């Protein structure tokens, strides 16, 4: 396999890892408004991701850096054409990180309530916009012969991309609700399972329509297999959630995300950004990639560094694996 193909696969893996981990991360942020009934329950939900949310975002930074180094043409066209939605996502991630850290710095109820509101919106907006962005990447955008995006922001708000945004929003919320049921005890655990069931049913309908649309537009045999796995995993997650098998439900909701994102990349390949103006103007793994020497150096660095990053993040999740409830929330000391 040629190195530019290898790096396309590696970038796909990085995005899959990011959406798997940040998916329940965003979902928990959304659930602070939908699930928690009081401040103690909000603290329980926030504490389930408190030790790991920043580590989850490393996958995004790595995916962006890998795209810049391995496919500079793709990076340039993507970040110039999608400047506004990506800027909104970036601002949300910055505010979200500040909210996690500053929420408990002062005892005033208004101060904490405002930061909790910020956590909710800065989780919901990126969860929706990532689906819009990837919907447009797979569908194709207006790219001219110079590989530059010549559309506008309104072109990105097409029905397919908006449906993709709804799919990621509901799927991440479902993933977060399953994670909440896995990581909590007490009354909030039962309500998380009930909410996961309702959100999961909506997700199943939206995801099926979106994936069938994707398959009909540009899918092949491999993407069809990924579609079947996605649907089967989502149905399995719902069944396991209803039966109270939270570990299986979370595993299968994660498989749903992995298979769905894999299907998008399988549909996209060998393009990285199709042009809707002329197929010959599409960015591909060949014309958008860096030189062989750059890709070779990057490959060696990835082989050396990736195992250490994976081991450290796995160790973090193992250390903070226990369930928590309102009884574990101490009174704030200021």
């Amino acid at each position: 396999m040629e190195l530019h193909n290898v790096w396309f696969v590696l970038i796909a893996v990085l995005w899959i890892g990011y959406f798997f981990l940040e998916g329940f991360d965003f979902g928990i942020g959304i659930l602070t408004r939908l699930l928690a009934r009081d401040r103690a329950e909000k603290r329980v939900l926030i504490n389930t991701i408190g030790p790991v949310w920043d580590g989850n975002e490393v996958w995004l930074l790595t995916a962006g850096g890998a795209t810049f180094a391995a496919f500079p043409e793709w990076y340039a066209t993507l970040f110039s054409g999608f400047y506004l939605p990506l800027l909104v996502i970036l601002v949300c991630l910055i505010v979200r990180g500040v909210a996690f850290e500053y929420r408990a710095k002062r005892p005033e109820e208004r101060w904490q309530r405002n930061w909790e509101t910020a956590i909710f919106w800065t989780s919901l907006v990126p969860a929706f916009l990532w689906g819009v962005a990837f919907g447009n990447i797979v569908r194709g955008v207006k790219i001219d012969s110079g590989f530059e995006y010549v559309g506008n922001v309104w072109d990105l708000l097409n029905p397919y991309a908006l449906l993709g945004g709804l799919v990621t929003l509901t799927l991440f919320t479902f993933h977060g609700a399953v994670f909440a049921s896995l990581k909590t005890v007490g009354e909030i655990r039962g309500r998380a399972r009930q909410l996961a069931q309702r959100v999961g049913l909506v997700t199943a309908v939206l995801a099926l329509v979106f994936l069938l649309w994707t398959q009909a537009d540009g899918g092949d045999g491999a993407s069809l297999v990924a579609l079947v796995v996605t649907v089967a995993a989502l149905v399995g997650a719902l069944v396991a959630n209803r039966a109270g098998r939270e570990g299986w439900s979370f595993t299968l909701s994660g498989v749903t995300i992995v298979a769905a994102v894999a299907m998008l990349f399988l549909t996209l390949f060998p393009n990285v950004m199709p042009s809707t103006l002329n197929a010959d103007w599409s960015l591909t793994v060949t014309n958008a990639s860096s030189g062989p020497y750059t890709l070779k150096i990057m490959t060696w660095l990835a082989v050396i560094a990736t195992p250490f990053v994976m081991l450290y993040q796995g160790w973090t999740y193992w250390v903070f694996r226990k369930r928590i409830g309102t009884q574990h929330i101490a009174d704030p000391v200021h």
Side-chain angles (χ1 to χ4, degrees), residues 180-196:
S181 70
L182 179 67
K183 287 288 292 179
T184 59
V185 294
E187 185 183 348
I188 192 172
R189 176 185 175 187
R191 282 190 277 113
R193 282 176 50 197
Q194 294 173 3
L195 181 61

Side-chain angles (χ1 to χ4, degrees), residues 284-295:
T284 68
V285 292
T286 304
N287 63 25
S289 69
S290 295
Y293 182 73
T294 300
L295 295 178

Side-chain angles (χ1 to χ4, degrees), residues 170 179 241 251-252 266 273-275 303 308 316 319 321 331:
T170 55
F179 181 76
N241 179 73
T251 300
L252 290 170
L266 287 168
M273 281 190 77
S275 172
V303 168
F308 292 101
T316 303
V319 169
R321 67 189 181 278
D331 292 331

Side-chain angles (χ1 to χ4, degrees), residues 24 43 70 85 96 102 109 121 132 172-173 176-177 211-212 220 243 257 264 271 283 299 301 303-304 306 316 318 326:
F24 68 75
R43 290 180 65 189
R96 189 167 179 267
Y102 275 73
E109 182 178 344
W121 286 109
V132 174
F172 291 168
T173 305
L211 295 178
L212 288 175
D220 56 14
I257 292 175
L264 296 183
N271 295 319
L283 288 167
T299 303
L301 291 174
V303 168
I304 294 170
T306 301
T316 303
W318 175 255
T326 53

Side-chain angles (χ1 to χ4, degrees), residues 5-327:
N5 292 336
V6 170
W7 275 96
F8 179 86
V9 173
L10 291 176
I11 288 172
V13 170
L14 290 171
W15 280 110
I16 288 170
Y18 173 66
F19 286 137
F20 178 91
L21 296 171
E22 195 81 313
F24 68 75
D25 203 323
F26 286 143
I28 290 293
I30 294 169
L31 293 176
T32 57
R33 173 79 52 102
L34 302 182
L35 182 62
R37 291 180 174 175
D38 53 35
R39 178 133 303 119
E41 289 190 348
K42 288 183 179 180
R43 290 180 65 189
V44 168
L45 290 175
I46 292 171
N47 285 357
T48 62
I49 59 172
V52 298
W53 68 266
D54 48 355
N56 295 344
E57 293 186 357
V58 170
W59 289 76
L60 172 63
L61 299 176
T62 308
T67 304
F68 172 76
F71 299 100
E73 287 282 0
W74 185 11
Y75 182 92
T77 304
L78 176 65
F79 278 78
S80 60
F82 293 18
Y83 179 81
L84 183 57
L86 292 179
L87 177 62
V88 172
I89 291 173
L90 177 61
V91 171
C92 284
L93 294 180
I94 293 172
V95 174
R96 189 167 179 267
V98 174
F100 281 132
E101 298 298 330
Y102 275 73
R103 176 189 168 279
K105 296 298 184 183
R106 292 173 58 177
E108 292 88 348
E109 182 178 344
R110 182 179 179 184
W111 170 273
Q112 295 187 3
R113 187 173 61 248
N114 287 341
W115 285 120
E116 289 163 359
T117 300
I119 290 172
F120 171 76
W121 286 109
T122 56
S123 299
L124 185 148
V125 173
F128 175 74
L129 288 181
W130 279 127
V132 174
F134 269 82
N136 279 291
I137 291 173
V138 174
R139 170 182 173 270
V141 291
K142 296 179 179 179
I143 299 175
D144 65 12
S145 59
F147 300 137
E148 294 185 4
Y149 178 71
V150 293
N152 55 54
V153 69
W154 302 111
D155 293 326
L156 302 179
L157 302 178
N158 55 80
Y160 176 79
L162 292 175
L163 178 59
L166 292 176
V167 170
T168 53
L169 175 59
T170 55
L171 181 55
F172 291 168
T173 305
F174 170 68
H175 196 40
V178 174
F179 181 76
S181 70
L182 179 67
K183 287 288 292 179
T184 59
V185 294
E187 185 183 348
I188 192 172
R189 176 185 175 187
R191 282 190 277 113
R193 282 176 50 197
Q194 294 173 3
L195 181 61
Q197 201 68 18
R198 294 196 296 269
V199 175
L201 292 173
V202 176
T203 303
V205 174
L206 294 174
L208 183 61
V209 174
F210 179 74
L211 295 178
L212 288 175
W213 191 345
T214 303
Q215 180 67 23
D217 269 1
D220 56 14
S223 63
L224 180 60
V225 171
L227 188 157
V228 172
V229 172
T230 302
V231 174
L234 183 52
V235 171
L238 286 167
V239 172
N241 179 73
R242 187 177 182 84
R245 303 296 298 272
E246 293 144 350
W248 276 107
S249 183
F250 179 72
T251 300
L252 290 170
S253 69
V255 172
T256 302
I257 292 175
V258 170
V261 179
M263 179 188 174
L264 296 183
F265 277 94
L266 287 168
T267 304
L268 186 61
F269 185 82
N271 295 319
V272 293
M273 281 190 77
S275 172
T276 57
L277 300 179
N278 189 324
D280 293 335
W281 299 344
S282 297
L283 288 167
T284 68
V285 292
T286 304
N287 63 25
S289 69
S290 295
Y293 182 73
T294 300
L295 295 178
K296 184 177 180 180
I297 296 297
M298 290 176 60
T299 303
W300 279 109
L301 291 174
V303 168
I304 294 170
T306 301
F308 292 101
V309 175
M310 297 289 289
L311 286 171
Y312 173 76
Q313 191 159 27
W315 175 79
T316 303
Y317 276 93
W318 175 255
V319 169
F320 296 101
R321 67 189 181 278
K322 293 184 178 180
R323 296 176 183 266
I324 61 173
T326 53
Q327 68 270 27

